[in-house]
Amino acid sequence: MSAKETIAILGGTGDLGTGLAIRWSKAGYNIVIGSRTQEKADAAVAALAEISPNTPAQAMENAAAAAAGDIVVLTVPADHQISTLDGVKDSLKGKILIDVTVPLVPPKVGTVQMPPEGSAGKRAQDHLGEDVHVVSAFQNIAAHLLQQDVVIECDVLVAGNNKESRQRVIDLIKEAGMNGWHAGPIANAAAAEALTSILIQINRSGIVSHSGIKIIGQEH
Ligand SMILES: NC(=O)c1ccc[n+]([C@@H]2O[C@H](COP(=O)([O-])OP(=O)(O)OC[C@H]3O[C@@H](n4cnc5c(N)ncnc54)[C@H](OP(=O)(O)O)[C@@H]3O)[C@@H](O)[C@H]2O)c1
């Protein structure tokens, strides 16, 4: 298999990071699982090797993972988004940072409660500066669907200030088995982040589970 880029997933030991690691590893990407502890990263890589034995993967602490990644993905809970970025900031310059954060505020996770910056994606971009291409994606995708070998019907809204970086992430989304759409600048991450609370409400109705969105239109 030809060498593809290295994707480093910070907090890649968690639910969403595990799902993305499985999908991109199966697509042939070299995966680096980042964690606060080497032991947790080692265990996650061992589990990934069981599922995707033919693609290399490495385990590192988050700072080393961010340095090793050509593309870096942040998959930690919203409360720890900025503190985690602070620990890796210098390694992100010139790279794409995919931010998946949904700023849910328990216990009212079915109510939209956006942060003062407007969205978690915008908060990350403001914090890191324009040297880092923050691209917001995956807010409406359930982690356990990513982890399973199933077709995911839900589309992915992709927001970021740099169009080429958005397109790169849309290509990665395709390789992970979903459709991504240009959703405009990082400020527009607010829409996908807010939508998660709406989908939670729809799931609670009991009529469907795993609700999602699909973009429709007439083809040109
Ligand atoms: N779960 C979903 O279905 C889903 C869907 C869409 C978006 N998201 C978003 O994806 C992100 C991750 O969600 P998740 O469900 O995967 O979360 P999670 O499993 O609860 O946590 C992910 C990882 O974050 C790290 N972490 C935990 N506490 C931390 C702290 N205090 N400081 C730094 N790192 C810490 C842990 O890694 P280590 O202990 O190894 O460091 C953990 O494995 C969230 O922002 C969420 O909004 C989730």
Side-chain angles (χ1 to χ4, degrees), residues 11 13-16 35-36 40 75-78 80 84 100-102 138-139 141-143:
T13 54
D15 293 334
L16 198 82
S35 169
R36 287 168 297 171
K40 276 187 80 174
T75 63
V76 302
H80 311 298
T84 304
V100 306
T101 311
V102 183
F138 297 111
Q139 283 75 17
I141 306 293

mmCIF file of all heavy atoms in Angstrom, residues 11 13-16 35-36 40 75-78 80 84 100-102 138-139 141-143, ligand 1:
data_model
loop_
_atom_site.group_PDB
_atom_site.id
_atom_site.type_symbol
_atom_site.label_atom_id
_atom_site.label_comp_id
_atom_site.label_asym_id
_atom_site.label_seq_id
_atom_site.Cartn_x
_atom_site.Cartn_y
_atom_site.Cartn_z
ATOM 1 N N GLY A 11 -6.504 12.357 22.270
ATOM 2 C CA GLY A 11 -7.664 11.789 22.960
ATOM 3 C C GLY A 11 -8.237 10.631 22.163
ATOM 4 O O GLY A 11 -9.408 10.278 22.300
ATOM 5 N N THR A 13 -8.021 7.639 22.478
ATOM 6 C CA THR A 13 -8.426 6.485 23.285
ATOM 7 C C THR A 13 -9.925 6.479 23.548
ATOM 8 O O THR A 13 -10.463 5.488 24.041
ATOM 9 C CB THR A 13 -7.721 6.532 24.655
ATOM 10 O OG1 THR A 13 -8.013 7.826 25.230
ATOM 11 C CG2 THR A 13 -6.217 6.388 24.514
ATOM 12 N N GLY A 14 -10.598 7.601 23.254
ATOM 13 C CA GLY A 14 -12.023 7.737 23.589
ATOM 14 C C GLY A 14 -12.926 7.188 22.509
ATOM 15 O O GLY A 14 -12.480 6.573 21.532
ATOM 16 N N ASP A 15 -14.220 7.443 22.675
ATOM 17 C CA ASP A 15 -15.227 6.837 21.800
ATOM 18 C C ASP A 15 -15.108 7.341 20.360
ATOM 19 O O ASP A 15 -15.038 6.561 19.416
ATOM 20 C CB ASP A 15 -16.630 7.134 22.332
ATOM 21 C CG ASP A 15 -16.895 6.435 23.649
ATOM 22 O OD1 ASP A 15 -16.263 5.394 23.897
ATOM 23 O OD2 ASP A 15 -17.737 6.928 24.425
ATOM 24 N N LEU A 16 -15.108 8.652 20.184
ATOM 25 C CA LEU A 16 -15.081 9.180 18.811
ATOM 26 C C LEU A 16 -13.720 8.941 18.161
ATOM 27 O O LEU A 16 -13.635 8.539 16.994
ATOM 28 C CB LEU A 16 -15.434 10.669 18.773
ATOM 29 C CG LEU A 16 -15.832 11.078 17.354
ATOM 30 C CD1 LEU A 16 -17.278 10.732 17.084
ATOM 31 C CD2 LEU A 16 -15.569 12.521 17.070
ATOM 32 N N SER A 35 -2.733 10.300 23.772
ATOM 33 C CA SER A 35 -3.410 10.184 25.070
ATOM 34 C C SER A 35 -2.633 11.011 26.088
ATOM 35 O O SER A 35 -1.487 11.396 25.843
ATOM 36 C CB SER A 35 -3.435 8.715 25.501
ATOM 37 O OG SER A 35 -3.854 8.584 26.847
ATOM 38 N N ARG A 36 -3.249 11.222 27.258
ATOM 39 C CA ARG A 36 -2.493 11.843 28.340
ATOM 40 C C ARG A 36 -1.487 10.861 28.905
ATOM 41 O O ARG A 36 -0.520 11.262 29.557
ATOM 42 C CB ARG A 36 -3.438 12.336 29.438
ATOM 43 C CG ARG A 36 -4.217 13.575 29.048
ATOM 44 C CD ARG A 36 -5.326 13.853 30.041
ATOM 45 N NE ARG A 36 -6.294 12.767 30.053
ATOM 46 C CZ ARG A 36 -7.268 12.648 30.919
ATOM 47 N NH1 ARG A 36 -7.409 13.543 31.883
ATOM 48 N NH2 ARG A 36 -8.106 11.622 30.853
ATOM 49 N N LYS A 40 -2.431 4.205 28.168
ATOM 50 C CA LYS A 40 -3.759 4.191 27.522
ATOM 51 C C LYS A 40 -3.606 4.196 26.005
ATOM 52 O O LYS A 40 -4.351 3.517 25.292
ATOM 53 C CB LYS A 40 -4.592 5.400 27.968
ATOM 54 C CG LYS A 40 -5.320 5.183 29.290
ATOM 55 C CD LYS A 40 -6.263 6.336 29.621
ATOM 56 C CE LYS A 40 -7.573 6.246 28.867
ATOM 57 N NZ LYS A 40 -8.527 7.302 29.325
ATOM 58 N N THR A 75 -10.080 15.020 19.743
ATOM 59 C CA THR A 75 -11.299 14.309 20.163
ATOM 60 C C THR A 75 -11.323 14.166 21.687
ATOM 61 O O THR A 75 -11.260 13.066 22.220
ATOM 62 C CB THR A 75 -11.408 12.913 19.496
ATOM 63 O OG1 THR A 75 -10.294 12.106 19.927
ATOM 64 C CG2 THR A 75 -11.392 13.000 17.979
ATOM 65 N N VAL A 76 -11.388 15.301 22.363
ATOM 66 C CA VAL A 76 -11.497 15.291 23.831
ATOM 67 C C VAL A 76 -12.779 16.022 24.222
ATOM 68 O O VAL A 76 -13.329 16.785 23.427
ATOM 69 C CB VAL A 76 -10.269 15.941 24.518
ATOM 70 C CG1 VAL A 76 -8.981 15.235 24.109
ATOM 71 C CG2 VAL A 76 -10.188 17.424 24.220
ATOM 72 N N PRO A 77 -13.281 15.797 25.445
ATOM 73 C CA PRO A 77 -14.500 16.502 25.869
ATOM 74 C C PRO A 77 -14.333 18.024 25.806
ATOM 75 O O PRO A 77 -13.224 18.559 26.001
ATOM 76 C CB PRO A 77 -14.684 16.017 27.315
ATOM 77 C CG PRO A 77 -13.986 14.685 27.365
ATOM 78 C CD PRO A 77 -12.811 14.834 26.450
ATOM 79 N N ALA A 78 -15.435 18.716 25.544
ATOM 80 C CA ALA A 78 -15.409 20.168 25.316
ATOM 81 C C ALA A 78 -14.694 20.925 26.439
ATOM 82 O O ALA A 78 -13.952 21.875 26.166
ATOM 83 C CB ALA A 78 -16.847 20.679 25.154
ATOM 84 N N HIS A 80 -12.195 20.235 28.010
ATOM 85 C CA HIS A 80 -10.735 20.071 27.973
ATOM 86 C C HIS A 80 -10.161 20.405 26.597
ATOM 87 O O HIS A 80 -8.976 20.142 26.346
ATOM 88 C CB HIS A 80 -10.363 18.659 28.416
ATOM 89 C CG HIS A 80 -11.046 18.278 29.682
ATOM 90 N ND1 HIS A 80 -10.831 18.958 30.859
ATOM 91 C CD2 HIS A 80 -12.003 17.357 29.951
ATOM 92 C CE1 HIS A 80 -11.611 18.458 31.807
ATOM 93 N NE2 HIS A 80 -12.330 17.486 31.285
ATOM 94 N N THR A 84 -6.076 21.074 26.259
ATOM 95 C CA THR A 84 -5.348 20.091 25.437
ATOM 96 C C THR A 84 -4.614 20.799 24.298
ATOM 97 O O THR A 84 -3.444 20.507 24.022
ATOM 98 C CB THR A 84 -6.313 19.020 24.888
ATOM 99 O OG1 THR A 84 -7.001 18.410 25.986
ATOM 100 C CG2 THR A 84 -5.559 17.944 24.105
ATOM 101 N N VAL A 100 -13.683 18.168 16.528
ATOM 102 C CA VAL A 100 -14.980 17.472 16.522
ATOM 103 C C VAL A 100 -15.865 17.915 17.680
ATOM 104 O O VAL A 100 -16.953 17.374 17.887
ATOM 105 C CB VAL A 100 -14.780 15.944 16.623
ATOM 106 C CG1 VAL A 100 -13.845 15.439 15.536
ATOM 107 C CG2 VAL A 100 -14.259 15.535 17.986
ATOM 108 N N THR A 101 -15.404 18.893 18.454
ATOM 109 C CA THR A 101 -16.021 19.215 19.734
ATOM 110 C C THR A 101 -17.475 19.662 19.594
ATOM 111 O O THR A 101 -17.795 20.527 18.784
ATOM 112 C CB THR A 101 -15.233 20.348 20.423
ATOM 113 O OG1 THR A 101 -13.850 20.031 20.407
ATOM 114 C CG2 THR A 101 -15.720 20.576 21.844
ATOM 115 N N VAL A 102 -18.327 19.076 20.428
ATOM 116 C CA VAL A 102 -19.700 19.552 20.574
ATOM 117 C C VAL A 102 -19.801 20.168 21.972
ATOM 118 O O VAL A 102 -19.577 19.470 22.966
ATOM 119 C CB VAL A 102 -20.728 18.405 20.444
ATOM 120 C CG1 VAL A 102 -22.139 18.964 20.531
ATOM 121 C CG2 VAL A 102 -20.528 17.633 19.148
ATOM 122 N N PHE A 138 -17.792 16.287 11.981
ATOM 123 C CA PHE A 138 -18.210 15.064 12.680
ATOM 124 C C PHE A 138 -19.128 15.275 13.883
ATOM 125 O O PHE A 138 -19.440 14.321 14.595
ATOM 126 C CB PHE A 138 -16.992 14.226 13.142
ATOM 127 C CG PHE A 138 -16.145 13.735 12.007
ATOM 128 C CD1 PHE A 138 -14.865 14.242 11.811
ATOM 129 C CD2 PHE A 138 -16.619 12.786 11.115
ATOM 130 C CE1 PHE A 138 -14.076 13.801 10.757
ATOM 131 C CE2 PHE A 138 -15.833 12.338 10.054
ATOM 132 C CZ PHE A 138 -14.563 12.849 9.880
ATOM 133 N N GLN A 139 -19.585 16.523 14.129
ATOM 134 C CA GLN A 139 -20.382 16.767 15.335
ATOM 135 C C GLN A 139 -21.679 15.954 15.372
ATOM 136 O O GLN A 139 -22.227 15.704 16.446
ATOM 137 C CB GLN A 139 -20.733 18.269 15.455
ATOM 138 C CG GLN A 139 -19.610 19.130 15.947
ATOM 139 C CD GLN A 139 -18.546 19.371 14.898
ATOM 140 O OE1 GLN A 139 -18.759 19.173 13.708
ATOM 141 N NE2 GLN A 139 -17.380 19.800 15.348
ATOM 142 N N ILE A 141 -22.161 12.845 14.040
ATOM 143 C CA ILE A 141 -21.934 11.413 13.784
ATOM 144 C C ILE A 141 -21.726 10.685 15.119
ATOM 145 O O ILE A 141 -20.874 11.069 15.916
ATOM 146 C CB ILE A 141 -20.680 11.206 12.901
ATOM 147 C CG1 ILE A 141 -20.772 12.040 11.610
ATOM 148 C CG2 ILE A 141 -20.485 9.726 12.599
ATOM 149 C CD1 ILE A 141 -21.854 11.636 10.642
ATOM 150 N N ALA A 142 -22.484 9.599 15.322
ATOM 151 C CA ALA A 142 -22.363 8.833 16.576
ATOM 152 C C ALA A 142 -21.094 7.996 16.565
ATOM 153 O O ALA A 142 -20.813 7.282 15.595
ATOM 154 C CB ALA A 142 -23.579 7.933 16.753
ATOM 155 N N ALA A 143 -20.353 8.075 17.667
ATOM 156 C CA ALA A 143 -19.070 7.363 17.758
ATOM 157 C C ALA A 143 -19.239 5.869 17.523
ATOM 158 O O ALA A 143 -18.438 5.245 16.827
ATOM 159 C CB ALA A 143 -18.455 7.610 19.130
HETATM 160 N N1 LIG B 1 -19.195 10.340 21.369
HETATM 161 C C1 LIG B 1 -19.831 10.762 20.267
HETATM 162 O O1 LIG B 1 -20.731 10.066 19.710
HETATM 163 C C2 LIG B 1 -19.454 12.094 19.660
HETATM 164 C C3 LIG B 1 -20.041 12.466 18.453
HETATM 165 C C4 LIG B 1 -19.657 13.675 17.856
HETATM 166 C C5 LIG B 1 -18.720 14.482 18.491
HETATM 167 N N2 LIG B 1 -18.191 14.103 19.703
HETATM 168 C C6 LIG B 1 -17.208 14.973 20.340
HETATM 169 O O2 LIG B 1 -15.992 14.251 20.363
HETATM 170 C C7 LIG B 1 -15.228 14.618 21.511
HETATM 171 C C8 LIG B 1 -14.837 13.348 22.233
HETATM 172 O O3 LIG B 1 -15.998 12.670 22.596
HETATM 173 P P1 LIG B 1 -15.893 11.193 23.201
HETATM 174 O O4 LIG B 1 -17.269 10.723 23.398
HETATM 175 O O5 LIG B 1 -14.942 10.393 22.398
HETATM 176 O O6 LIG B 1 -15.224 11.534 24.616
HETATM 177 P P2 LIG B 1 -14.608 10.573 25.703
HETATM 178 O O7 LIG B 1 -14.561 9.173 25.200
HETATM 179 O O8 LIG B 1 -15.327 10.848 26.981
HETATM 180 O O9 LIG B 1 -13.135 11.177 25.891
HETATM 181 C C9 LIG B 1 -12.199 11.173 24.850
HETATM 182 C C10 LIG B 1 -10.815 11.220 25.441
HETATM 183 O O10 LIG B 1 -10.576 12.496 26.007
HETATM 184 C C11 LIG B 1 -9.505 12.375 26.919
HETATM 185 N N3 LIG B 1 -9.772 13.168 28.120
HETATM 186 C C12 LIG B 1 -10.675 12.908 29.086
HETATM 187 N N4 LIG B 1 -10.592 13.834 30.068
HETATM 188 C C13 LIG B 1 -9.594 14.683 29.688
HETATM 189 C C14 LIG B 1 -8.994 15.817 30.308
HETATM 190 N N5 LIG B 1 -9.376 16.254 31.516
HETATM 191 N N6 LIG B 1 -7.999 16.447 29.631
HETATM 192 C C15 LIG B 1 -7.551 15.977 28.434
HETATM 193 N N7 LIG B 1 -8.068 14.888 27.830
HETATM 194 C C16 LIG B 1 -9.073 14.253 28.458
HETATM 195 C C17 LIG B 1 -9.384 10.902 27.276
HETATM 196 O O11 LIG B 1 -8.168 10.416 26.736
HETATM 197 P P3 LIG B 1 -6.919 9.989 27.669
HETATM 198 O O12 LIG B 1 -7.436 9.637 29.012
HETATM 199 O O13 LIG B 1 -6.368 8.834 26.926
HETATM 200 O O14 LIG B 1 -6.020 11.188 27.661
HETATM 201 C C18 LIG B 1 -10.562 10.271 26.587
HETATM 202 O O15 LIG B 1 -10.324 8.959 26.127
HETATM 203 C C19 LIG B 1 -16.106 15.551 22.343
HETATM 204 O O16 LIG B 1 -15.717 16.875 22.124
HETATM 205 C C20 LIG B 1 -17.502 15.307 21.789
HETATM 206 O O17 LIG B 1 -18.312 16.463 21.877
HETATM 207 C C21 LIG B 1 -18.530 12.925 20.281
#
